[in-house]
């Protein structure tokens, strides 16, 4: 109890300092650096929310990019300016979303994107979360492929593979970091409550957690749905920053990037995912001139992959990692007792 | 005769062609300590898995406090007041000792997601209550000084204790202890036996203990069931069991072994 009050105070102070710094940054940085800063914020939201499933709950999902795609397309379609819809072959909104002459404003559109991503998580989570370990990872990857395929083929809604451009630019530092702040706040509240303890217990040993009264499906779905919501929001922010989205952007490369950021940072901690996202994006933009100069396109992806291997080998708990996550994992510890007994010769 | 807290009727479980439990029955009076012994592979742990809902029986019925729990999930059974420990220690290894205990207070926590999110007063009240309960348990088990330690770093004997403390955090009426003294030396086992007896008295518990260490279970249990090849071959007081020829045969084999 005593140590909790300062922790809360830190959160408020951190928030104030953050927004003070943002104000200064917005006034002083040029547009290119500001763009990078915003991207760092967006990737941090994605990584922090991925951490809820992959880090705290031990569900190694690879479907996060799909939720970002859902959020990006949803908020794009809701906010797209009415006069341009004809020219871009985009449908007008049906009556229940405001009618043909309506375009949503930014904030509710982001929320809608998040909610829709959550609904998708609920739908897909019920079957997929029954799987464990690698099976779950592969199944969630399958979900990502499905979403990207939908985005490519539903031409009447998404314009297919060529994607949507001329999306209004709404995302700025304040929106982005407000959402990052909210994401981190929510994750922090969850982690320091019975919900977070339940998630971590499931990660450590599912059978023991269940015998102690935790219903695994309920809490796995909970983590998955909350994570998907913020992924959806991150997707929406991304769409309104880059002003153009195409289906393939939300595919393997993006999934891989977020996962690398999370692992390099540190799974199952508050600061790890942010550190990972900021560091890897800084690396990307620092190396970009080199990549262009040498005409070695793909160099950055190569370095990401190398970095992943190096971190996995020498510091598997991540850069900021100390304790928390047991790298041994809970997978090998399943029903060994049960079967060992039966295979013991009498 | 006091009230029957747990009634198991004709329980069967097979894994493919292997009959792990065949026709196990039990009537457990409230407040009693029963022992369950038998050679390796006799099906003792399977019986625990069936009662606690970790495995589903192929046939049979389990009634706890007058309620049929045969088809309930383990977490639902725990919420009703029946929990267990594990033979192969299933602590949450990278959580601290204190967190291990707090997880187990989950069953009785009522605070919803939104009161958690917005730091409602009810959230702090509940967290405080959980903290107090965990602290009581830590002190009782002599784990207080290790509360910030990662569970995996505890010495083995303390891990065993933590496992029992964690089970008690769920506020059970019936506890199934699966080989609580495994891996302990004689002195540790004796201390544990004393602790278990105290706990049973103070928390008004009913217990079933699976054990290999005869001195441990003989000293604690009023009634012992002996399991062999999945069925009960003898029931009786510790004294009766010690002299039962069938039990001796199950443990040592018959005289006509071909070497």
């Amino acid at each position: 109890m005593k140590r909790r009050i300062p922790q809360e105070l830190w959160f408020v102070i951190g928030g104030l300092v953050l927004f003070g710094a943002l104000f200064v940054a917005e006034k002083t940085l040029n547009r290119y650096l500001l763009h990078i800063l915003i991207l760092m914020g967006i990737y941090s939201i994605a990584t922090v929310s991925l951490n809820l499933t992959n880090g705290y709950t031990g569900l190694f999902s690879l479907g996060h990019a799909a939720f970002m795609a859902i959020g990006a397309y949803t908020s794009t379609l809701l906010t797209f300016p009415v006069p341009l819809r004809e020219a871009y072959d985009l449908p007008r909104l049906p009556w229940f979303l405001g009618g043909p002459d309506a375009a949503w404003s930014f904030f509710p559109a982001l929320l809608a994107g998040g909610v829709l991503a959550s609904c998708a998580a609920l739908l897909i989570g019920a079957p997929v979360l029954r799987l464990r370990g690698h099976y779950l990872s592969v199944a969630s990857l399958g979900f990502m492929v499905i979403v990207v395929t939908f985005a490519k083929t539903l031409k009447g809604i998404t314009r297919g593979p060529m994607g949507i451009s001329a999306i209004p630019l709404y995302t700025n530092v304040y929106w982005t970091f407000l959402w990052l702040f909210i994401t981190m706040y929510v994750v922090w509240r969850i982690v320091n409550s019975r919900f977070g303890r339940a998630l971590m217990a499931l990660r450590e040993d599912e059978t023991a957690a269940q015998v102690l009264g935790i219903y695994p499906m309920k809490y796995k779905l909970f983590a998955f749905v909350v994570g998907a919501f913020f992924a959806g929001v991150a997707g929406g922010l991304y769409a309104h920053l880059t002003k153009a989205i195409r289906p393939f952007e939300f595919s393997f490369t993006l999934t891989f990037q977020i996962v690398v950021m999370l692992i390099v940072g540190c799974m199952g901690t508050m600061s790890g995912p942010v550190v990972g996202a900021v560091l890897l994006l800084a690396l990307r933009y620092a190396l970009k001139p080199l990549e262009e100069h040498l005409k070695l396109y793909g160099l950055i992806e190569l370095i990401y992959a190398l970095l992943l291997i190096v971190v996995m080998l020498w510091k598997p708990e991540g850069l900021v990692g100390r304790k928390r996550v047991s790298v041994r994992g809970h997978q090998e510890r399943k029903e060994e007792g049960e079967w060992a007994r039966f295979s013991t010769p009498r | 005769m006091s009230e029957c807290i747990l009634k198991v009727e004709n329980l069967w479980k097979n894994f493919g062609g292997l009959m792990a439990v065949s026709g196990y029955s039990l009537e457990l009076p409230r407040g009693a300590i029963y022992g369950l012994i038998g050679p390796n592979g006799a099906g003792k742990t399977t019986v625990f898995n069936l009662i606690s809902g970790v495995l589903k029986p192929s046939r049979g019925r389990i009634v706890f406090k007058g309620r049929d729990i045969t088809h309930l999930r383990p977490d639902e059974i725990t919420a009703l007041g029946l929990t267990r420990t594990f033979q192969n220690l299933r602590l949450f290894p990278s959580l601290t000792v204190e967190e291990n205990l707090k997880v187990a207070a989950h069953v009785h926590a009522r605070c919803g997601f939104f009161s958690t999110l917005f730091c409602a007063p009810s959230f702090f009240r509940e967290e405080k209550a959980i903290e107090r309960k965990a602290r009581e348990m830590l002190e009782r088990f002599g784990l207080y000084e290790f509360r910030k330690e990662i569970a995996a770093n505890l010495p083995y004997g303390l891990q065993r204790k933590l496992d029992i403390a964690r089970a008690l955090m769920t506020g059970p009426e019936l506890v199934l202890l699966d080989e609580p003294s495994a891996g302990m030396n004689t002195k540790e086992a004796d201390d544990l036996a004393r602790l278990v007896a105290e706990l049973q008295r103070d928390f008004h518990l009913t217990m079933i203990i699976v054990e290999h260490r005869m001195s441990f279970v003989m000293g604690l249990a009023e009634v012992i069931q002996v399991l062999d090849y999945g069925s009960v071959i003898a029931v009786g007081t510790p004294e009766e069991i010690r002299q039962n020829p069938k039990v001796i045969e199950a443990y040592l084999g018959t005289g006509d072994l071909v070497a």
Side-chain angles (χ1 to χ4, degrees), chain A residues 290-297:
Chain A
L290 185 72
E291 191 186 51
E292 276 158 10
H293 180 73
L294 295 175
K295 295 203 163 40
L296 276 174
Y297 296 104

Side-chain angles (χ1 to χ4, degrees), chain B residues 111-145:
Chain B
C111 219
F113 178 51
F114 286 98
S115 30
T116 303
L117 212 54
F118 299 117
C119 303
S122 63
F123 170 78
F124 287 110
R125 261 200 305 280
E126 195 169 277
E127 278 296 296
K128 224 173 187 167
I130 291 174
E131 210 139 314
R132 199 172 330 116
K133 205 173 161 193
R135 192 184 164 132
E136 269 169 37
M137 212 55 90
L138 285 167
E139 278 165 357
R140 166 118 222 180
F141 280 81
L143 290 165
Y144 189 72
E145 54 182 310

Side-chain angles (χ1 to χ4, degrees), chain B:
Chain B
M1 191 67 189
S2 59
E3 166 209 3
C4 173
I5 189 168
L6 179 78
K7 193 169 175 185
V8 181
E9 290 166 13
N10 196 24
L11 210 58
W12 292 71
K13 176 71 187 176
N14 59 312
F15 296 111
L18 181 74
M19 199 60 75
V21 175
S22 39
Y24 175 83
S25 297
L26 169 72
E27 280 192 28
L28 185 65
R30 186 182 279 276
I33 299 184
Y34 270 39
L36 187 60
I37 64 171
N40 278 333
K44 306 179 296 285
T45 298
T46 308
V47 167
F48 270 19
N49 282 340
L50 293 172
I51 296 176
S52 61
V54 174
L55 294 174
K56 292 291 158 222
S58 316
R59 237 192 300 160
R61 217 162 80 96
I62 304 163
V63 180
F64 177 61
K65 295 197 290 185
R67 187 169 164 184
D68 189 334
I69 59 163
T70 320
H71 301 291
L72 294 187
R73 295 191 309 262
D75 51 284
E76 292 170 324
I77 293 172
T78 304
L80 289 174
L82 192 170
T83 193
R84 64 172 291 181
T85 65
F86 291 93
Q87 160 189 257
N88 49 328
L89 273 178
R90 289 168 164 273
L91 296 175
F92 305 123
S94 69
L95 301 190
T96 65
V97 170
E98 194 179 18
E99 284 168 334
N100 263 275
L101 291 181
K102 282 181 168 183
V103 167
H106 188 88
V107 195
H108 305 288
R110 293 282 163 271
C111 219
F113 178 51
F114 286 98
S115 30
T116 303
L117 212 54
F118 299 117
C119 303
S122 63
F123 170 78
F124 287 110
R125 261 200 305 280
E126 195 169 277
E127 278 296 296
K128 224 173 187 167
I130 291 174
E131 210 139 314
R132 199 172 330 116
K133 205 173 161 193
R135 192 184 164 132
E136 269 169 37
M137 212 55 90
L138 285 167
E139 278 165 357
R140 166 118 222 180
F141 280 81
L143 290 165
Y144 189 72
E145 54 182 310
F146 301 104
R147 67 189 184 283
K148 298 277 177 241
E149 193 67 61
I150 302 298
N153 296 347
L154 280 187
Y156 187 74
L158 291 181
Q159 288 194 11
R160 284 261 162 224
K161 279 187 172 177
L162 178 59
D163 195 22
I164 299 172
R166 197 177 61 168
L168 291 184
M169 278 294 281
T170 66
E173 292 169 53
L174 170 58
V175 184
L176 314 178
L177 296 179
D178 199 348
E179 294 200 25
S181 82
M184 288 184 168
N185 62 34
T186 316
K187 173 161 187 320
E188 285 171 331
D190 288 347
D191 289 346
L192 186 69
R194 219 165 303 128
L195 182 67
V196 168
E198 266 175 44
L199 293 170
Q200 191 252 352
R201 199 184 57 227
D202 295 354
F203 290 88
H204 312 289
L205 299 174
T206 311
M207 288 180 173
I208 309 178
I209 304 175
V210 159
E211 227 349 305
H212 269 299
R213 194 188 295 261
M214 284 306 145
S215 61
F216 188 88
V217 71
M218 296 268 175
L220 279 170
E222 303 160 23
V223 176
I224 290 177
Q225 284 185 318
V226 186
L227 216 57
D228 194 24
Y229 291 107
S231 44
V232 178
I233 57 163
V235 187
T237 63
E239 205 44 50
E240 287 163 8
I241 293 299
R242 226 187 295 259
Q243 277 144 21
N244 189 319
K246 268 167 130 182
V247 177
I248 296 165
E249 187 193 310
Y251 270 92
L252 301 175
T254 50
D256 45 65
L257 262 183
V258 185

Side-chain angles (χ1 to χ4, degrees), chain A residues 1-4 8 185-190 192-195 197-198 200-216 218-219 222 226 323-326 328 333-339 341-342 344-346, chain B residues 15 18 20 39-41 44-46 49 54 73-75 78 83-84 86-95 99 102-104 106-107 109-113 116-117 119 123-124 127-128 130-131 150 152 166 170 179 212 228-229:
Chain A
M1 206 64 220
K2 267 176 220 145
R3 70 193 156 79
R4 190 156 279 137
E8 272 142 12
Y185 175 79
V186 170
V187 171
W188 173 68
R189 290 308 306 155
I190 290 174
N192 287 298
S193 72
R194 71 183 176 104
F195 294 96
R197 290 195 292 268
M200 287 186 271
L202 285 173
R203 173 188 73 198
E204 303 280 307
D205 192 320
E206 190 170 326
T207 307
Q210 196 170 14
V211 165
L212 296 171
I214 293 159
Y215 181 34
K218 183 177 159 190
Y219 288 94
F222 167 78
V226 174
K323 39 154 206 172
R324 281 293 179 186
V325 168
S326 79
R328 282 175 290 139
R333 288 169 42 86
K334 22 183 186 213
E335 306 302 317
E336 52 182 84
E338 198 59 51
W339 293 103
R341 305 226 102 196
F342 287 111
T344 313
R346 303 208 313 163
Chain B
F15 296 111
L18 181 74
N40 278 333
K44 306 179 296 285
T45 298
T46 308
N49 282 340
V54 174
R73 295 191 309 262
D75 51 284
T78 304
T83 193
R84 64 172 291 181
F86 291 93
Q87 160 189 257
N88 49 328
L89 273 178
R90 289 168 164 273
L91 296 175
F92 305 123
S94 69
L95 301 190
E99 284 168 334
K102 282 181 168 183
V103 167
H106 188 88
V107 195
R110 293 282 163 271
C111 219
F113 178 51
T116 303
L117 212 54
C119 303
F123 170 78
F124 287 110
E127 278 296 296
K128 224 173 187 167
I130 291 174
E131 210 139 314
I150 302 298
R166 197 177 61 168
T170 66
E179 294 200 25
H212 269 299
D228 194 24
Y229 291 107

